[in-house]
Amino acid sequence: MSEAATGWAGAPAESIWSGPEKKAARRSRSPVTGESDLLKAVLIGVTVVFLSLFLILPLAIVFTEAFSKGVAAYWGALISPDARSAIGLTLTVAAIAVPANIMFGLAAAWAIAKFHFPGKSFLITLIDLPFSVSPVVAGLMFVLLFGAHGLLGPWLKAHDLEIIFAVPGIVLATIFVTFPFVARELIALMEDQGTGDEETALSLGASGFSTFMRVTLPNIKWALLYGVLLCNARAMGEFGAVSVVSGHIRGKTNTMPLHVEILYNEYNTAAAFAVASLLALLALITLVLKTLLETRFNDALPGKARGH
């Protein structure tokens, strides 16, 4: 055995690192990646600095600016007629879009996860389409379809129906940009669960509706709530598609994000940040609820078993 193989004084190479030195080297490295504690500390530090600069600091500025002129000015900005109209329209749109996406998400997930049919992959691709299409492009699509000079524009005008620059257009645009959220959460989980429970219920004489209500729905309820949270947050905060189809009619077709833009462009920054603070608060509440769901019902949410 050569000296290089045996180490110093003819001892085996492994004996050089035995004892306290070897244990300390093992403790200073990650058991998974083998990286040193120093590198781990640097990576954590970079992450904390990045989040502080691009997440925590902007949120702090939003609330600081919102109260910069006092509580009275903050409250006054929220109860102004235009702000109340924007808040009411935002809540109305979300109240329509979220239930519509729940029904679509349940139907799509049931069909994709429980049945085999031609075009299944194409349907999944269509569900993912809003993730790859810019919201502004989505808004333009609705303008070209329902606008005064669009494909259906003359027919709508002849029947005195307004879609674009009215509430229906805002609802349609919001539904389009948010419909993947519920469906994608349910599809992943229902595919993992398979069809065994439903087949057992049907073999025992349960009807299809009873099977869905008593077997399928309880199995997916936490994933459904998870998707609803994400869908609602996106519906209330959507800007691009809604901006295109709304027409920016003050007091009528402005949602909260659009109202913030108008106030900011008018240099009314305190009022703009006051309304923006409501959206930020919604985002924080959604994040807290999302974290609670992931912590408490981890096994009942999609993708967890696969390490997502």
Side-chain angles (χ1 to χ4, degrees), residues 103-126:
M103 291 187 290
F104 169 79
L106 286 171
W110 178 275
I112 291 172
K114 306 299 182 180
F115 301 98
H116 296 284
F117 54 89
K120 181 176 179 179
S121 298
F122 181 66
L123 178 58
I124 296 175
T125 302
L126 288 180

Side-chain angles (χ1 to χ4, degrees), residues 226-299:
Y226 189 86
V228 168
L229 284 174
L230 298 179
C231 179
N232 183 67
R234 177 63 187 275
M236 289 191 175
E238 175 56 31
F239 178 84
V242 171
S243 178
V244 175
V245 301
S246 71
H248 294 267
I249 304 174
R250 198 161 191 163
K252 292 185 177 180
T253 62
N254 276 339
T255 58
M256 289 170 64
L258 301 183
H259 186 57
V260 170
E261 181 195 28
I262 289 176
L263 292 173
Y264 189 80
N265 289 336
E266 294 176 347
Y267 302 101
N268 192 355
T269 56
F273 280 108
V275 179
S277 68
L278 292 182
L279 292 172
L281 186 61
L282 170 67
L284 292 175
I285 293 174
T286 302
L287 180 62
V288 170
L289 293 176
K290 176 176 175 288
T291 303
L292 290 176
L293 282 175
E294 290 176 338
T295 301
R296 187 172 180 181
F297 305 104
N298 184 69
D299 294 336

Side-chain angles (χ1 to χ4, degrees), residues 4-91:
T6 59
W8 297 326
E14 292 184 357
S15 66
I16 300 173
W17 293 98
S18 62
E21 295 86 356
K22 188 174 182 178
K23 293 180 180 179
R26 287 176 177 174
R27 285 196 302 267
S28 65
R29 294 184 176 276
S30 167
V32 178
T33 63
E35 304 294 348
S36 65
D37 289 342
L38 176 60
L39 180 57
K40 180 173 67 175
V42 170
L43 292 175
I44 293 175
V46 170
T47 302
V48 170
V49 171
F50 186 88
L51 291 177
S52 299
L53 290 176
F54 295 98
L55 181 61
I56 299 175
L57 184 59
L59 280 175
I61 291 175
V62 167
F63 287 99
T64 300
E65 290 293 330
F67 289 96
S68 61
K69 294 185 178 181
V71 177
Y74 176 85
W75 183 248
L78 297 183
I79 64 174
S80 68
D82 290 341
R84 285 188 285 112
S85 174
I87 294 171
L89 179 57
T90 300
L91 295 176

Side-chain angles (χ1 to χ4, degrees), residues 133-153:
V133 174
S134 168
V136 175
V137 175
L140 288 174
M141 286 167 23
F142 284 105
V143 171
L144 293 175
L145 184 60
F146 300 112
H149 303 287
L151 182 62
L152 300 178

